[in-house]
Amino acid sequence: MRVAALAHPADFEGWREAARVCLAAGARPHEVAWRIGEEPDLFAALAPLPSAAPSAAPPTEPAFRVPREFVELAQLAICHADEDRFALLYRLLWRLRADRDLLGRITDDDVFRLRAMAKMIRRERHKMEAFVRFREIADAEGSLFVAWFEPEHHVVEITAPFFVRRFASMRWSILTPLVSAHWNMKELRFGPGAAKSDAPSHDRFEEHWLTYYANIFNPARLKIGMMKSEMPVRYWKNLPEAALIETLVREAGKREAAMIEASPTPEPRRAQIILERMKKTANAAGPGAGHNALPGLAQEASGCRRCPLWEGATQTVFGEGAADARLMFVGEQPGDKEDLAGKPFVGPAGEVFDRALAEAGIDRASAYVTNAVKHFKNEPRGKRRLHKTPDAGEISACRWWLEREIEIIRPQFTVALGATALRSLTGLSGGLMNLRGMLAPSDLVGEVFVTVHPSSILRMPPEQREAAYAAFVADLRKLARLMA
Ligand code: URA
């Protein structure tokens, strides 16, 4: 029996090195014991691993290339709490030498377990990204934001870089029972675990956060099963807002009735007529109705005069894409190129968007792409037309079309590209950078995935563009993981 000692529970590099040595020595899976940390008494009697020096036993076969997919899955699966994970990974590696197609055999027990573990870790990582709540304290160096989190698996090391990107300009610590992560705005360090009492239980922002949460909680959209699946109950004890849930759920019926009572002034008569007609068309056509309803809606929108923006634009630029798309992207408004072409995202921002989508493995052709505002707002300057940001009134007037598009397409995932889309979909008039890479509640679609607008990357100083683009691609990759 050989003993492979790993430095910590998610020590992928240590596992990889030990597996390489074991494989080179021809150690069969049942001949390797995997242990975390040093336990000399327990294992003194066991043969140590051979060294990786050139004098070690020669490999039994020519070196083989480990499939990239295995490395990606193993990096995730090693974070799983299952004690057998190191042995499982080594067994798979051993078997892969003789069967290159092993990972494709999804009914194989080992492969099935590997994939299930990787999936679980993706989910746990996403939950950690969503449910870590920082509270501010002051120490000798100023503000420090500290969070307490209790992951079920060993995801702190792989998730910490997300918080570095998101809160790069804050000093923060994430404490968990087994390990802690610390960022001092220069360097990410990991240290020993901590106790819940080491983290603050309140801070000066807490009341604001709770008020915000209570306000965005929409009683008319309450689906308790869905809420518990998105925000599993085991996280509630460390979420300040969870204390409100019971009361909010209890009062949902009353609040919904009050909302109906106080509903805003009805749409103008013309809008009502169009809406009724669109609904009839969509309902009459049954499943797949979107295929018929969208062109009709686009036709209606081509004559839109809901705000004065049509006067300075060439044409309405309506959304484009599959009517049964699972995914909908919402941008700001058409630019100069889009205004002339009559299609969204075909100019410079569209190029950045297309490239980033391709890098993230998202197929634009299967998504629906639209804008919060359908006319190009601009200011003529000589021969050029300069982009002007749409104001709240214009966004609100055009929201009518976005609502109809959403009604027809019923996307499973909706993405707000930038502040205007965020405003239209959620009513929030700020906070884009805090929310990016996360889901924000939306009256229109339930939840919206938030990221920056691709044109913001083009407006960056050249030396910052590459990093901004990489962060955008990272957001889209995250979206792809969410959709997987
Ligand atoms: N910017 C947008 O928001 N939408 C487009 O279609 C083009 C640029």
Side-chain angles (χ1 to χ4, degrees):
M1 179 66 77
R2 297 164 196 281
V3 176
L6 305 176
H8 60 85
D11 181 10
F12 180 72
E13 290 311 320
W15 176 87
R16 176 147 70 177
E17 181 55 20
R20 197 176 65 76
V21 173
C22 288
L23 218 51
R28 304 174 75 79
H30 66 273
E31 293 167 348
V32 185
W34 298 89
R35 300 287 185 263
I36 298 164
E38 307 220 343
E39 299 175 24
D41 289 346
L42 188 55
F43 298 109
L46 301 174
L49 276 175
S51 89
S55 61
T60 49
E61 295 165 20
F64 89 107
R65 278 181 76 83
V66 181
R68 196 189 152 109
E69 188 187 9
F70 175 75
V71 177
E72 287 167 4
L73 290 167
Q75 277 172 323
L76 292 168
I78 208 151
C79 305
H80 200 281
D82 187 330
E83 286 181 1
D84 192 37
R85 62 194 179 283
F86 309 116
L88 170 74
L89 293 177
Y90 185 60
R91 195 160 60 243
L92 278 159
L93 190 63
W94 179 269
R95 294 180 57 200
L96 270 167
R97 290 189 314 175
D99 181 0
R100 296 282 303 169
D101 299 327
L102 178 60
L103 292 182
R105 301 186 207 296
I106 49 174
T107 53
D108 179 279
D109 207 34
D110 285 344
V111 175
F112 182 82
R113 281 180 67 203
L114 171 72
R115 291 191 178 281
M117 282 181 178
K119 185 168 177 190
M120 180 79 79
I121 296 305
R122 280 193 207 101
R123 185 174 156 85
E124 180 82 353
R125 185 167 64 181
H126 168 60
K127 296 295 175 209
M128 179 166 173
E129 290 171 4
F131 297 141
V132 160
R133 297 282 180 270
F134 289 102
R135 290 183 171 121
E136 189 185 23
I137 58 171
D139 68 4
E141 291 170 50
S143 274
L144 173 66
F145 291 83
V146 182
W148 170 252
F149 189 69
E150 294 175 55
E152 204 160 280
H153 300 280
H154 306 286
V155 291
V156 175
E157 285 89 347
I158 53 163
T159 315
F162 163 85
F163 291 98
V164 169
R165 287 193 300 278
R166 180 132 190 268
F167 299 113
S169 54
M170 264 163 56
R171 284 194 312 127
W172 54 255
S173 291
I174 301 175
L175 311 181
T176 82
L178 291 182
V179 61
S180 52
H182 307 277
W183 170 249
N184 62 5
M185 302 197 293
K186 287 196 198 86
E187 183 192 22
L188 177 64
R189 281 186 306 104
F190 295 98
K196 184 169 181 172
S197 55
D198 294 328
S201 56
H202 197 84
D203 76 358
R204 65 194 168 109
F205 299 118
E206 196 111 337
E207 298 313 322
H208 298 298
W209 168 241
L210 294 181
T211 308
Y212 170 71
Y213 185 82
N215 281 321
I216 58 170
F217 186 92
N218 185 344
R221 283 186 173 267
L222 179 60
K223 291 201 182 96
I224 295 179
M226 176 106 92
M227 184 170 83
K228 286 187 175 165
S229 125
E230 280 306 308
M231 193 201 250
V233 175
R234 74 183 163 92
Y235 297 106
W236 289 21
K237 63 177 183 290
N238 294 320
L239 290 173
E241 65 270 28
L244 300 176
I245 291 176
E246 204 189 317
T247 317
L248 290 170
V249 168
R250 201 173 345 101
E251 292 178 353
K254 244 193 293 164
R255 283 185 61 199
E256 188 179 2
M259 273 168 76
I260 293 168
E261 187 76 3
S263 53
T265 338
E267 295 280 354
R269 184 71 195 127
R270 179 172 175 272
Q272 278 180 25
I273 293 167
I274 297 173
L275 174 56
E276 277 154 23
R277 195 163 60 226
M278 293 312 306
K279 275 189 180 150
K280 259 191 229 142
T281 324
N283 293 339
H291 295 283
N292 299 326
L294 266 183
L297 188 64
Q299 178 62 31
E300 298 283 351
S302 66
C304 179
R305 303 286 184 267
R306 293 178 68 85
C307 78
L309 286 186
W310 64 275
E311 287 167 301
T314 310
Q315 57 189 316
T316 305
V317 178
F318 206 67
E320 192 182 63
D324 56 356
R326 276 177 82 209
L327 173 62
M328 178 187 254
F329 287 98
V330 182
E332 183 197 63
Q333 62 165 356
D336 185 65
K337 286 252 171 24
E338 288 80 11
D339 172 75
L340 298 173
K343 288 168 173 296
F345 283 101
V346 292
E351 270 173 44
V352 175
F353 182 49
D354 285 348
R355 215 173 75 205
L357 282 178
E359 268 186 57
I362 298 174
D363 176 21
R364 172 166 172 175
S366 64
Y368 185 83
V369 180
T370 191
N371 283 300
V373 171
K374 310 285 194 251
H375 279 117
F376 176 36
K377 179 174 181 183
N378 65 86
E379 189 177 289
R381 188 74 61 80
K383 285 190 182 163
R384 297 173 60 213
R385 297 184 299 168
L386 299 187
H387 165 276
K388 285 192 80 186
T389 304
D391 63 29
E394 291 148 357
I395 296 170
S396 154
C398 216
R399 194 171 191 254
W400 195 87
W401 296 110
L402 184 60
E403 285 173 10
R404 304 292 84 75
E405 287 173 293
I406 289 169
E407 268 174 15
I408 293 172
I409 291 160
R410 298 204 193 101
Q412 229 175 309
F413 297 89
T414 305
V415 181
L417 296 165
T420 298
L422 181 67
R423 182 168 201 157
S424 182
L425 288 160
T426 67
L428 290 173
S429 57
L432 176 76
M433 293 322 269
N434 278 335
L435 288 169
R436 75 173 295 180
M438 315 228 343
L439 293 167
S442 158
D443 267 5
L444 286 184
V445 287
E447 277 179 326
V448 57
F449 183 86
V450 183
T451 186
V452 296
H453 194 286
S455 69
S456 66
I457 297 165
L458 297 171
R459 287 196 302 271
M460 293 262 168
E463 68 280 7
Q464 289 174 23
R465 242 173 248 163
E466 202 178 314
Y469 175 73
F472 182 50
V473 173
D475 283 351
L476 294 177
R477 288 208 170 109
K478 186 163 175 206
L479 168 71
R481 285 203 303 273
L482 267 178
M483 292 178 62

